[in-house]
């Protein structure tokens, strides 16, 4: 890499760290794996946890939802704060703390004796996860020279996709041989190995001039994010985003976050320089992450019901069907930088968004007997699309900030991804639920009047009642499949529309391919043009 004067650019990484950078990345990937893996594993175990003791905990539907949402709420609310703390006190320290808390929370969750305990310990796991996720990416930015960062981020992004896909497989295997707590206890040996490797390999780094503490800004960010995410989750639970309790919390969260932005603009020691968002490419990259995870988490939610409730696959089989999604991300994510160097971030991310939209839209044509190979092709296409979105936009975000602010950049990246995913599950889940209830309500005549409302809440509830109705139940089960497929088709179209919106944002705001031979200096020094966030 050369600087504008033609002299070789001085390396910013020590020789010792540079030699072991790939081993460090492997350690970071291990830490990241368990945090991302955990939520997808739990989705497989919810039916078992709902079973009466001793097989499960006898958790109600609402308790099951909060076992998932408690983690999401704490995780999303503290991501930004955790990133700031990493910049201030040291990313390695934050990582070690997060991993230790996550491991303790996993043990406690595994041996929960009631749904209330499980919800509380899941919140502890969310606390640990919030300190792990942004620190992994921040450390990565400080152990790789700038020209290698796109490749490392590609591998990092591929690891996220792999964890999402293999979670259901791991959970299915564990539940076939062990009790439900094993889906949490499996984290413990991984955490132990990661902690040892972290102590031995990972260097510490922090912002050498962090400035004054900004307690008001940090407090506003936590309160705003918690209120916003809680409102989103609550709206999804009620399937009604106009309910006063939903509007109060969601709009309250937005108002606090607006106050946070205004305060940061006027502060002489802001927690985050909101001026970064004036860069259209930076803002477009952040929006692209939120939109793609909105669409992805929404389709992951309804595809699980499609494969298990309509198609009759087991949890393990459903997980195995997602392998093409993981394989595509593992194959293409590390190589996305090569395509970006040739065609530019705008073209690559736009094509990626269109591929994701096409994959989501394909679900609008799936029926009860769609050949499995078609589903596998669709999942592979979606994985390939994501692999050409996540690495380039993450590089855009991280390389637009000074290296010493890597924790803040990673927190922004992960916060928008988490909020986008929560919105996807809540909004698209509500669309699915409302459409299903509308489609099934006229077919519940054979159900006892007192059970009709509960039977129409979801396809699982309808099938549960149908199993007790004899011959009439078989007819109801067929009608439930038909109503769910119609609801899924509508939701898939909505998901595809969101992905296409992301494509439009990318086309308008992301930079195109710079002219040959031109390079632009980023905030940390001279960089290759293909890796720079800037304008055409």
């Amino acid at each position: 890499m050369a600087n504008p004067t033609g002299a070789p650019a001085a390396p910013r990484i020590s020789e010792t760290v540079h030699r072991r950078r790939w081993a460090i990345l492997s350690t970071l990937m291990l830490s990241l794996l368990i945090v991302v893996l955990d939520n997808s594993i739990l989705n497989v175990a919810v039916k078992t946890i709902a079973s009466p003791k001793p097989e499960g905990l006898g958790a109600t539907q609402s308790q099951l939802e909060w076992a998932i949402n408690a983690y999401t709420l704490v995780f999303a609310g503290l991501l930004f704060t955790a990133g700031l703390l990493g910049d201030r006190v040291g990313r390695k320290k934050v990582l070690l703390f997060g991993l230790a808390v996550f491991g303790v929370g996993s043990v406690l969750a595994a041996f929960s004796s009631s749904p209330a305990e499980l919800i509380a310990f899941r919140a502890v796991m969310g606390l640990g996860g919030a300190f792990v996720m942004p620190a992994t990416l921040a450390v990565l930015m400080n152990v790789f020279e700038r020209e290698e960062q796109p490749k490392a981020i590609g591998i990092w992004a591929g690891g996220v996709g792999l964890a999402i896909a293999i979670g259901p497989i791991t959970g299915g295997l564990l539940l076939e041989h062990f009790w439900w707590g094993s889906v949490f206890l499996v984290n413990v040996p991984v955490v132990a190995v990661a902690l040892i490797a972290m102590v031995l390999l990972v260097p510490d780094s922090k912002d050498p001039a962090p400035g004054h503490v900004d307690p008001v800004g940090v407090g506003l960010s936590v309160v705003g994010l918690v209120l916003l995410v809680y409102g989103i989750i609550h709206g999804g639970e009620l399937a009604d985003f106009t309910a006063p309790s939903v509007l109060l919390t969601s709009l309250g969260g937005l108002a606090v976050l607006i106050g946070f932005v205004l305060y940061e603009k006027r502060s002489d020691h802001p927690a985050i320089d909101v001026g970064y968002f004036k860069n259209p490419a930076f803002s477009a990259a952040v929006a692209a992450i939120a939109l793609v995870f909105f669409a992805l988490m929404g389709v992951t939610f309804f595809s699980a019901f499609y494969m298990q409730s309509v198609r009759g696959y087991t949890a393990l089989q459903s997980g195995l069907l997602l392998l093409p999604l993981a394989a595509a991300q593992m194959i293409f994510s590390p190589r996305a930088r090569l395509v970006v160097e040739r065609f530019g971030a705008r073209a690559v991310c736009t094509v990626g968004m269109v591929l994701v939209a096409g994959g989501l839209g394909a679900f609008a044509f799936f029926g009860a007997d769609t050949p499995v190979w078609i589903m596998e092709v669709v999942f592979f296409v979606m994985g390939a699309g994501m692999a050409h979105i996540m690495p380039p936009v993450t590089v855009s975000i991280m390389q637009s900030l000074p290296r010493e602010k890597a924790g803040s950049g990673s927190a922004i990246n992960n916060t928008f991804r988490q909020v986008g995913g929560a919105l996807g599950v809540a909004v698209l889940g509500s669309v699915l639920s409302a459409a299903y209830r509308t489609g099934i309500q006229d077919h519940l005549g054979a159900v006892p009047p007192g059970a009709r409302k509960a039977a129409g809440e979801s396809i699982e509830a309808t099938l549960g009642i149908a199993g007790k109705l004899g011959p009439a139940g078989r007819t109801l089960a067929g009608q439930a499949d038909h109503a769910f497929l119609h609801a899924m088709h509508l939701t898939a179209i909505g998901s595809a529309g969101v992905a296409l919106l992301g494509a439009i944002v990318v086309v308008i705001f992301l930079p195109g391919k710079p002219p040959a031979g031109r390079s632009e200096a980023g905030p940390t020094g001279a960089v290759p043009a293909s890796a720079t966030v800037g304008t055409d």
Side-chain angles (χ1 to χ4, degrees):
M1 180 174 67
N3 63 24
T5 65
R12 297 175 57 93
I13 310 298
S14 73
E15 183 60 32
T16 301
V17 172
H18 183 73
R19 282 199 307 268
R20 64 189 188 199
R21 64 196 186 284
W22 297 110
I24 293 171
L25 179 59
S26 299
T27 302
L28 298 176
M29 295 293 295
L30 193 62
S31 306
L32 180 70
L33 184 69
I34 57 169
V35 173
V36 179
L37 190 83
D38 185 73
N39 253 357
S40 55
I41 283 183
L42 180 59
N43 289 333
V44 175
V46 289
K47 287 185 180 180
T48 306
I49 295 172
S51 303
K53 293 181 178 181
E55 182 183 355
L57 291 176
T60 65
Q61 181 66 29
S62 176
Q63 289 169 331
L64 288 174
E65 289 173 356
W66 273 108
I68 296 172
N69 294 336
Y71 181 95
T72 302
L73 187 63
V74 175
F75 185 81
L78 292 177
L79 270 173
F80 183 68
T81 301
L84 292 175
L85 284 174
D87 285 344
R88 177 171 290 275
V89 306
R91 289 115 191 182
K92 180 176 180 176
K93 297 183 183 70
V94 164
L95 256 176
L96 291 172
F97 170 78
L99 280 171
V101 171
F102 191 87
V104 171
S106 297
V107 173
L108 294 172
F111 294 102
S112 299
S113 59
S114 69
E117 285 188 4
L118 178 61
I119 292 169
F121 297 142
R122 286 283 295 163
V124 173
M125 294 174 69
L127 170 65
F131 281 82
V132 172
M133 177 71 88
T136 59
L137 189 53
V139 170
L140 180 155
M141 298 300 292
N142 280 271
V143 299
F144 284 90
E145 292 290 356
R146 194 171 181 101
E147 66 271 17
E148 281 192 320
Q149 287 171 359
K151 180 180 180 180
I153 288 175
I155 296 171
W156 181 91
V160 174
L162 173 65
I164 291 172
I166 68 173
I169 300 171
T170 306
L173 286 171
L174 288 170
L175 291 174
E176 282 192 358
H177 299 92
F178 306 102
W179 99 113
W180 64 266
S182 63
V183 302
F184 300 114
L185 206 58
V186 71
N187 295 330
V188 178
V190 182
V191 167
V193 172
L195 283 171
I196 294 170
M198 193 91 49
V199 170
L200 297 176
L201 293 173
V202 176
D204 203 0
S205 62
K206 61 182 179 180
D207 186 346
H212 298 291
V213 179
D214 181 19
V216 175
V218 169
L220 289 173
S221 72
V222 172
V223 172
L225 284 169
V226 168
L227 285 175
L228 176 61
V229 174
Y230 176 81
I232 292 167
I233 291 170
H234 189 46
E237 286 181 317
L238 299 179
D240 181 8
F241 286 87
T242 62
S245 58
V246 175
L247 290 175
L248 184 64
T249 49
S250 300
L251 295 179
L254 284 174
V256 173
L257 290 174
I258 291 171
F260 165 72
V261 172
L262 294 176
Y263 177 81
E264 295 298 283
K265 288 178 68 176
R266 289 167 172 75
S267 174
D268 56 359
H269 53 278
I272 180 68
D273 185 354
V274 294
Y276 290 128
F277 286 91
K278 293 180 181 179
N279 181 344
F282 179 86
S283 297
V286 168
I289 284 178
L291 290 171
V292 75
F293 267 82
F294 179 101
L296 177 72
M297 296 307 292
V299 76
T300 302
F301 177 77
F302 68 68
S303 66
F305 288 102
Y306 168 68
M307 289 188 286
Q308 294 185 45
S309 300
V310 176
R311 302 300 296 264
Y313 296 120
T314 66
L316 177 57
Q317 289 170 333
S318 299
L320 290 171
L321 288 172
L322 289 174
L323 278 178
L325 183 75
Q329 293 195 60
M330 291 179 65
I331 292 168
F332 295 114
S333 287
R335 296 170 174 80
R337 75 190 192 286
L338 303 176
V339 188
V340 171
E341 288 173 2
R342 181 168 182 180
F343 299 105
R346 176 191 295 161
V348 172
C349 291
T350 300
V351 172
M353 280 288 191
V354 171
L355 287 176
V356 171
L360 294 168
F363 275 87
F365 301 95
F366 283 6
D369 55 357
T370 299
V372 171
W373 70 266
I374 293 179
M375 286 197 299
E376 299 297 84
V377 169
V378 168
F379 282 131
F380 188 84
V381 168
M382 289 176 61
M386 285 197 67
H388 289 91
I389 299 168
M390 298 309 298
V393 297
T394 302
V395 169
S396 294
I397 292 171
M398 298 305 296
Q399 290 197 339
S400 67
L401 303 177
R403 188 193 297 268
E404 57 269 19
K405 301 295 183 183
S408 301
S410 179
I412 292 171
N413 175 74
N414 288 295
T415 298
F416 275 83
R417 179 171 63 188
Q418 193 69 21
V419 172
L423 268 171
V425 172
V427 174
L428 296 178
S430 297
V431 171
L432 182 76
S433 179
Y436 177 77
R437 287 198 302 268
T438 300
I440 197 64
Q441 63 184 0
D442 293 335
H443 302 287
L444 299 175
V447 178
R452 286 177 187 170
K453 181 178 180 181
E457 287 297 316
S458 68
I459 186 172
E460 283 295 317
T462 307
L463 293 177
I465 294 291
K468 304 174 182 178
L469 297 179
R474 287 192 291 273
T475 301
L476 179 59
Q479 291 163 338
D481 286 350
H482 179 76
F484 179 84
L485 287 171
H486 176 69
M488 184 183 78
H489 294 163
L490 292 177
T491 310
I493 292 171
S495 302
V498 171
L500 287 175
L501 176 62
I504 293 171
V505 169
V506 166
V507 166
I508 295 175
F509 296 110
L510 269 192
K513 183 182 179 183
R518 172 185 153 194
S519 66
E520 301 175 23
T524 60
V527 297
S530 61
T532 303
V533 176
T535 56
D536 288 328

